[in-house]
Amino acid sequence: MTLPAVLDDHALRRYRELLDAEDAAFDELEHACEDGDRDHFELDFAAWQRALAAKLDFLQRLGISLPEPARAG
């Protein structure tokens, strides 16, 4: 992973917001899964994916690149 030269307070605050949004979306997804609520699960899964994508897009715009994950062979 490479890091940009400067991570300022604004960037860290925004990243925290994105982490919190992802965490909240995942909590909803987890509840739907535990409750066996397929309709809400589908909606919550999509919301979690959007939150995760927003976080990863933000990191990319900051210049933080993540290595490709290892793939099962």
Side-chain angles (χ1 to χ4, degrees):
M1 175 172 67
T2 60
L3 293 175
V6 177
L7 284 175
D8 62 13
D9 287 342
H10 173 73
L12 292 175
R13 187 173 30 257
R14 178 66 182 136
Y15 186 67
R16 170 48 61 194
E17 291 170 359
L18 291 165
L19 283 175
D20 291 345
E22 181 192 356
D23 188 47
F26 188 82
D27 284 346
E28 291 301 315
L29 175 63
E30 186 176 31
H31 290 301
C33 184
E34 290 170 351
D35 295 342
D37 186 342
R38 188 65 184 180
D39 292 334
H40 281 120
F41 179 86
E42 295 293 332
L43 293 171
D44 293 339
F45 186 69
W48 175 63
Q49 286 179 309
R50 287 190 302 274
L52 182 59
K55 182 183 77 172
L56 294 174
D57 287 344
F58 178 74
L59 289 174
Q60 188 175 35
R61 285 193 311 274
L62 284 179
I64 298 173
S65 60
L66 302 174
E68 286 292 318
R71 303 200 186 271

